[in-house]
Amino acid sequence: MEDHFKLRKKEITIKDVARRAGVAVSTVSRVLNGLDKVSDKTRRKVQAAVDELGYVQNQLAVSMVTGQTKTIMMIVPDFTNDFNGAVIQGAETYLKEHGYTILVSSSADFKDADYEALRQRFFRMVDGILAVPSPSDIFNYNSWGKPAVLIDCWRPENDYYTVEINNAWGTYLLTEEMIRKGHRRIAFVGGIQGVSLGGQRLDGFRRAMKDYEIPVDESLIKPGVHFQETGVRGMEELLSLPVSLRPTGVIAVNNLTCIGCMEVLLRHHLTAGKDISLAGFDDHPAARYTAPGITVISRPSIEMGREGARILLQLLQGKKTEPRRLIMDITLLRRGSVQPPHCGLTDSPRP
């Protein structure tokens, strides 16, 4: 006890750990840095000494030895979207379990120069990149010269490792759900044709309508970025149409857009499922706890973050991982917001 108290008077070093464990300093270094195999008995002795003395590694020194900082840069479009938060949670949990730290940055309103400034600032501080690109993000993450994994994005021309879902199939299922309930005038709010995820989801909507031989009314397509204001604007425009031209069902491109649509219905004292059917992509608290609940496509957001982190660590270890595109499953969650068409919108929306 006295010896331990004396050690506490000064900074505890790797030599102190080696002395307490009764092994060489090089052995302690191998155990702490995982550079090669050490017997379980020796590893336990070293770890016991580390715990007893409260030794903390000098990460700068470790990085000089191993060439790794044990830090990952994660870039997401914004912090307001539940999906991004869930992906960060999944990635951070996995990385912590494997001794890594995560730095998170939002790319909202980023220009190419901003990505370059981020690269120059953190290039030497991180081992790899996890990114959830926004629809407008066309930055070449390979320019970092570090292993990179993209989540919720596919860029075949750059040959990235990606973690994805089948976005087109998701909106196909939502559209099919509407059609099977008897809807023919179906609107789509959000997404931009040909732009990554939003374009894929719009493609899925069009494909379902074509398969069921239902013409798409282009006036019911309200494109836009994946934010709440797109849902607000789109739903307001749809409700302002003459009664005979209004949709009986609306599909929102993502959770934020769906919340915007819900906001407008609430403002006009309209109920999803009763006055107009509504479905969205991505589950979220508002969809779960409103009455009625909103029918949505749910995806394993946290698991997508974990899988992205897992693949990245494999790349950092020099391992090849297949497939390059990991496609994860989605689920259609049926709730009360999609019902057969009603006559609730025979008059102008109530102010």
Side-chain angles (χ1 to χ4, degrees):
M1 177 67 80
E2 185 177 343
D3 289 343
H4 180 61
F5 179 76
K6 289 179 180 178
L7 285 172
R8 281 296 184 187
K9 292 279 190 178
K10 65 183 183 69
E11 182 180 356
I12 296 170
T13 69
I14 193 171
K15 291 182 180 179
D16 298 321
V17 175
R19 189 178 301 114
R20 182 59 58 93
V23 299
V25 170
S26 59
T27 300
V28 176
S29 178
R30 288 196 296 271
V31 171
L32 295 178
N33 298 321
L35 296 181
D36 56 16
K37 294 182 179 179
V38 179
S39 71
D40 289 341
K41 181 179 178 181
T42 300
R43 189 180 300 279
R44 286 194 296 269
K45 285 170 60 179
V46 171
Q47 190 58 54
V50 168
D51 294 341
E52 182 181 348
L53 298 177
Y55 172 71
V56 178
Q57 282 183 290
N58 182 322
Q59 290 302 316
L60 177 59
V62 171
S63 67
M64 291 176 67
V65 173
T66 64
Q68 295 183 340
T69 65
K70 291 285 188 175
T71 303
I72 300 300
M73 169 61 74
M74 186 162 194
I75 302 173
V76 297
D78 63 87
F79 299 127
T80 62
N81 192 320
D82 291 338
F83 171 75
N84 295 331
V87 171
I88 293 171
Q89 178 184 337
E92 182 178 36
T93 299
Y94 186 89
L95 291 171
K96 273 186 176 180
E97 292 170 355
H98 291 79
Y100 281 76
T101 299
I102 186 171
L103 298 177
V104 184
S105 176
S106 165
S107 62
D109 301 321
F110 261 28
K111 306 294 188 296
D112 284 347
D114 298 312
Y115 287 105
E116 181 58 26
L118 194 69
R119 187 190 71 82
Q120 291 180 6
R121 182 173 182 181
F122 292 104
F123 173 76
R124 297 186 184 279
M125 296 175 60
V126 301
D127 295 333
I129 312 297
L130 283 173
V132 182
S134 67
S136 60
D137 175 4
I138 58 173
F139 182 72
N140 178 15
Y141 289 97
N142 286 331
S143 68
W144 283 63
K146 308 273 186 176
V149 176
L150 303 190
I151 299 173
D152 202 33
C153 178
W154 180 38
R155 296 184 182 179
E157 69 278 5
N158 293 112
D159 202 26
Y160 287 103
Y161 283 87
T162 62
V163 179
E164 312 167 49
I165 59 166
N166 190 329
N167 288 281
W169 179 239
T171 44
Y172 189 104
L173 292 176
L174 290 176
T175 308
E176 187 176 57
E177 180 73 2
M178 290 269 190
I179 293 170
R180 288 178 174 175
K181 291 288 187 178
H183 295 273
R184 295 297 180 268
R185 291 192 57 76
I186 305 173
F188 192 91
V189 176
I192 302 173
Q193 186 69 48
V195 178
S196 190
L197 308 183
Q200 292 173 18
R201 293 175 188 178
L202 185 54
D203 287 345
F205 165 75
R206 292 184 182 279
R207 191 183 312 159
M209 296 289 278
K210 180 179 180 180
D211 287 351
Y212 282 87
E213 299 181 345
I214 301 173
V216 174
D217 185 339
E218 295 298 331
S219 69
L220 302 184
I221 306 296
K222 302 297 179 181
V225 293
H226 299 181
F227 290 106
Q228 193 163 335
E229 54 265 30
T230 295
V232 171
R233 183 183 65 253
M235 184 62 87
E236 288 284 10
E237 290 177 0
L238 292 170
L239 294 182
S240 69
L241 292 171
V243 174
S244 61
L245 299 180
R246 291 177 197 158
T248 60
V250 177
I251 296 173
V253 74
N254 78 329
N255 51 0
L256 296 180
T257 307
C258 185
I259 290 172
C261 292
M262 295 168 66
E263 177 185 332
V264 173
L265 294 184
L266 182 63
R267 184 185 306 159
H268 290 291
H269 308 288
L270 300 173
T271 302
K274 177 182 177 182
D275 299 302
I276 186 170
S277 285
L278 175 65
F281 210 107
D282 288 337
D283 202 8
H284 52 96
R288 292 193 292 273
Y289 302 124
T290 191
I294 306 298
T295 293
V296 296
I297 289 295
S298 175
R299 52 181 168 169
S301 306
I302 293 176
E303 289 76 9
M304 290 176 75
R306 286 186 64 89
E307 285 299 304
R310 180 188 63 80
I311 293 171
L312 182 59
L313 292 197
Q314 286 188 329
L315 296 176
L316 289 173
Q317 294 165 6
K319 299 177 181 177
K320 291 186 178 180
T321 179
E322 295 296 338
R324 296 186 72 87
R325 297 179 62 199
L326 175 61
I327 311 295
M328 302 193 73
D329 293 335
I330 56 177
T331 305
L332 174 63
L333 299 180
R334 293 181 175 88
R335 295 180 176 134
S337 68
V338 177
Q339 300 293 338
H342 293 276
C343 300
L345 295 183
T346 54
D347 300 312
S348 297
R350 296 181 287 278

